[in-house]
Amino acid sequence: MSLLRPLLLDVVPTIQQTAALALGRLANYNDDLAEAVVKGDILPQLVYSLAEQNRFYKKAAAFVLRAVAKHSPQLAQAIVDCGALDTLVICLEDFDPGVKESAAWALGYIARHNAELSQAVVDAGAVPLLVLCIQEPEIALKRIAASDLSDISKHSPELAQTVVDAGAIAHLAQMILNPDAKLKRQVLSALSQIAKHSVDLAEMVVEAEIFPVVLTCLKDKDEYVKKNASTLIREIAKHTPELSQLIVNAGGVAAVIDCIGSCKGNIRLPGIMMLGYVAAHSENLAMAVIISKGVPQLSACLSEEPEDHIKAATAWALAQIGRHTPEHARAVAVTNILPVLLSLYMSAESSEDLQVKVLPHDSKARRLFVTSGGLKKVQEIKAEPGSLLQEYINSINNCYPEEIVRYYSPGYSDTLLQRVDSYQPLTN
């Protein structure tokens, strides 16, 4: 480090650039080396040169700043403290797209850590220039600028609002159908990070006419485009019944169900949760999920997915669909999902969270468990006395009055008839 530092001031420009690049690669390697760049008092020198030197040096200097900032909020704060933000923002206006791109990368690595660092990036005036960058022809610059807007928006409604006020939504919405998959990922992510915070922000995203075009992304070849599109739809649906209804009307529920069927693992997760959010709002919206054949698809996820957190989300979504009326509960029960849920509940491998999702807790849910035939199914399971299975059946039965459990036990009607046969009426 101490040998490289004086080379940043060398009279030969290529030596300056190569020294900066070497420092960047060292800092990029791990946080100890990044720390050494900070302690070696190299940052002020870089920031000074960033404003003065040619485009090659600017790119190399911005790379060092990005390499230091990426490791932790503390190292990113060191970049802010040495006055780098103003200089990086000036680089966003540079004539050379490569310099703009390098500056945008550095700003993104600072903003992504937390709200305070994001606010510092906003205060330096970066947002309007990033919105200009997403309109540039270079695809790499568009990608990183959209990624920065996503990283700034994610921390708080106020930060998301600054991105909206700079006019970002309209420009992002226009790029939903861009053929470049990596750009689409970032655009969908940025719109999700804006929409997630509040009803107002979600409505502003919807007003940019993203439906029905965003639904085509659910059929994209790129898995992460699918995932981010599902996430965007989920973040809108969760807020109000009206927003969910709008998605239903646009064909969004059927499109998400198809998408869940076409992928596996974590890519499915936002779509599964989106169906749960839609169904939770009202009886009619839950019925829309049922009519679009959402329940068989969720049942398939429950059987196919090995990961507990995905099973838990699926069980939760099915509960949101089934909890409204006996008709809704029956739609869930007819897919023969209850034995699967029960076996998950009884599996020693299942996490606490998954078990909680499966066992009915409120009175309405308990009632539906009965009317949909769930309790009867449980009584029909033959378990060894004293086994873990029997223990779980007991814990389910303990949610109900004893006579109800007896009523649904096999052979109860025969027992009643025997009592009728053997009953001796009292004669006067």
Side-chain angles (χ1 to χ4, degrees):
M1 292 282 177
S2 55
L3 291 170
L4 284 168
R5 189 172 169 238
L7 297 179
L8 292 172
L9 297 170
D10 198 273
V11 288
V12 183
T14 48
I15 290 180
Q16 290 180 2
Q17 290 152 29
T18 314
L21 213 61
L23 283 167
R25 287 183 182 153
L26 287 167
N28 200 34
Y29 184 69
N30 66 22
D31 45 1
D32 292 340
L33 289 165
E35 194 82 51
V37 170
V38 176
K39 291 210 172 84
D41 217 23
I42 288 164
L43 295 178
Q45 182 54 58
L46 283 168
V47 173
Y48 171 76
S49 308
L50 195 59
E52 303 294 320
Q53 298 282 1
N54 67 25
R55 62 199 169 113
F56 301 109
Y57 188 89
K58 283 178 178 170
K59 282 192 268 193
F63 174 61
V64 183
L65 297 176
R66 152 192 168 185
V68 172
K70 84 170 194 184
H71 295 289
S72 70
Q74 293 73 24
L75 285 164
Q77 189 61 53
I79 304 284
V80 175
D81 294 342
C82 73
L85 289 182
D86 292 340
T87 320
L88 286 167
V89 169
I90 291 166
C91 288
L92 286 179
E93 296 187 88
D94 198 275
F95 180 71
D96 184 81
V99 173
K100 285 180 181 161
E101 192 192 328
S102 301
W105 274 100
L107 289 166
Y109 273 118
I110 295 165
R112 70 178 50 174
H113 290 294
N114 59 40
E116 292 73 36
L117 286 162
S118 257
Q119 191 61 56
V121 171
V122 169
D123 294 343
V127 173
L129 295 171
L130 289 168
V131 173
L132 287 173
C133 288
I134 57 175
Q135 299 167 64
E136 294 281 351
E138 291 79 19
I139 208 85
L141 181 55
K142 281 180 186 288
R143 281 181 200 154
I144 185 57
S147 168
D148 283 5
L149 293 172
S150 178
D151 281 332
I152 292 168
S153 302
K154 71 181 179 186
H155 302 291
S156 73
E158 295 73 25
L159 284 162
Q161 191 65 54
T162 60
V163 171
V164 173
D165 292 343
I169 292 179
H171 295 294
L172 289 166
Q174 283 167 4
M175 293 191 289
I176 287 175
L177 293 180
N178 191 290
D180 184 76
K182 285 182 181 164
L183 176 58
K184 270 190 288 202
R185 288 180 196 174
Q186 302 301 350
V187 165
L188 293 164
S189 167
L191 290 169
S192 305
Q193 299 293 10
I194 293 168
K196 74 177 184 184
H197 294 291
S198 70
V199 178
D200 288 346
L201 287 166
E203 284 176 348
M204 289 173 103
V205 171
V206 169
E207 280 160 16
E209 297 182 357
I210 61 163
F211 290 104
V213 286
V214 73
L215 302 180
T216 57
C217 295
L218 294 170
K219 295 190 174 75
D220 203 271
K221 291 195 290 292
D222 186 276
E223 296 280 84
Y224 288 96
V225 170
K226 281 184 184 176
K227 185 183 183 189
N228 292 3
S230 302
T231 304
L232 171 55
I233 298 167
R234 177 192 75 191
E235 297 299 9
I236 293 168
K238 74 180 183 186
H239 291 295
T240 65
E242 292 73 23
L243 284 167
S244 278
Q245 189 61 56
L246 183 139
I247 291 167
V248 170
N249 296 348
V253 167
V256 167
I257 291 166
D258 287 347
C259 177
I260 295 170
S262 73
C263 52
K264 294 274 177 283
N266 272 327
I267 309 292
R268 276 176 162 175
L269 191 56
I272 291 169
M273 290 176 71
M274 176 268 184
L275 295 177
Y277 280 128
V278 170
H281 286 305
S282 73
E283 286 182 19
N284 289 346
L285 285 163
M287 197 43 81
V289 176
I290 292 168
I291 290 164
S292 297
K293 310 239 181 340
V295 177
Q297 190 54 69
L298 288 168
S299 307
C301 293
L302 203 58
S303 308
E304 293 166 9
E305 289 298 335
E307 300 266 352
D308 260 8
H309 67 281
I310 300 176
K311 286 187 194 290
T314 310
W316 170 80
L318 286 162
Q320 302 313 311
I321 295 166
R323 72 189 175 88
H324 296 284
T325 68
E327 194 187 347
H328 288 76
R330 208 163 295 117
V332 174
V334 292
T335 58
N336 218 12
I337 199 74
L338 295 167
V340 181
L341 285 170
L342 192 68
S343 65
L344 286 177
Y345 183 69
M346 293 173 313
S347 160
E349 282 89 62
S350 290
S351 65
E352 189 91 341
D353 182 47
L354 178 51
Q355 291 177 345
V356 168
K357 294 278 193 301
V358 171
L359 192 70
H361 274 286
D362 57 277
S363 57
K364 197 173 172 191
R366 282 201 294 273
R367 185 182 167 162
L368 287 177
F369 193 61
V370 173
T371 54
S372 63
L375 191 63
K376 186 168 183 283
K377 276 263 195 322
V378 170
Q379 306 317 314
E380 289 164 4
I381 295 170
K382 292 178 176 53
E384 294 285 315
S387 66
L388 195 60
L389 177 53
Q390 188 60 55
E391 237 175 87
Y392 282 123
I393 292 172
N394 293 346
S395 68
I396 291 172
N397 289 347
N398 288 342
C399 295
Y400 296 94
E402 202 181 326
E403 60 274 19
I404 295 286
V405 176
R406 269 210 306 274
Y407 178 76
Y408 284 104
S409 298
Y412 181 69
S413 51
D414 297 345
T415 317
L416 278 181
L417 288 170
Q418 279 168 1
R419 279 173 62 187
V420 171
D421 292 345
S422 57
Y423 182 67
Q424 296 292 329
L426 292 167
T427 48
N428 291 340

